[in-house]
Amino acid sequence: VQVGDELPRFKLQNQNGKWINIRDFIGRPLVIYFYPKDDTPGCTREACGFRDAYGQFADHGAIVFGISADSVESHHRFSIKYQLPFDLLSDEGNKVRNAFGVSSDLFGIIPGRVTYVVDSHGFVKYIFNNQLNATKHVGEALRALGSFPK
């Protein structure tokens, strides 16, 4: 997936076991961030950053989704522990990660950390790929949303 591409269609379970069909959210800006693993230091900082800025995302009308290969149960524990106000989606087979083309980093050992900002028409407008600076994803996504026409 590149800037300008239409968002791949997918359906995944959230941390509560509810099926989320991404098509149901077209019409609002979306922030979809792929991260390596629940409850690890970088991923926790990233998730808590999205949590702490959640009001700012809401001000832009945006919906935030985090996606990793962790199970629904792992996502549930992680979401409760850090009081995350957005859905974490379980991509246990990495089908959605692969559909987006999110590769592994650090010699193929760690799943990539990439954030996609999607406009209300379902087109990717911004991509930020940075494995090591997890907290920068929040600011980059907000900056991209700020460039959307009102």
Side-chain angles (χ1 to χ4, degrees), residues 28-32 50 53-65 115-120 123-127 137-150:
R28 294 191 50 196
L30 303 175
V31 175
I32 300 170
F50 277 107
Y54 192 72
Q56 294 174 65
F57 286 102
D59 289 346
H60 288 287
I63 301 171
V64 176
F65 293 101
T115 298
Y116 295 84
V117 180
V118 180
D119 70 12
S120 59
F123 290 90
V124 175
K125 292 300 180 187
Y126 184 75
I127 301 170
H137 287 256
V138 174
E140 288 294 314
L142 284 169
R143 186 175 64 75
L145 285 169
S147 71
F148 285 15
K150 297 288 180 197

Side-chain angles (χ1 to χ4, degrees), residues 17-103:
K18 178 183 175 194
W19 285 97
I20 301 295
N21 185 339
I22 203 64
R23 287 181 183 195
D24 295 339
F25 297 92
I26 301 302
R28 294 191 50 196
L30 303 175
V31 175
I32 300 170
Y33 78 95
F34 289 87
Y35 65 100
K37 187 158 182 54
D38 290 342
D39 222 1
T40 57
C43 296
T44 299
R45 283 192 301 277
E46 182 178 27
C48 290
F50 277 107
R51 176 200 65 201
D52 295 347
Y54 192 72
Q56 294 174 65
F57 286 102
D59 289 346
H60 288 287
I63 301 171
V64 176
F65 293 101
I67 301 177
S68 81
D70 292 301
S71 68
V72 168
E73 295 78 18
S74 176
H75 281 340
H76 184 75
R77 288 189 302 272
F78 186 48
S79 179
I80 295 294
K81 183 175 181 179
Y82 294 102
Q83 301 176 336
L84 304 179
F86 51 87
D87 283 323
L88 298 177
L89 305 179
S90 178
D91 184 24
E92 289 189 72
N94 284 317
K95 288 181 181 163
V96 174
R97 178 179 291 273
N98 292 337
F100 274 79
V102 177
S103 59

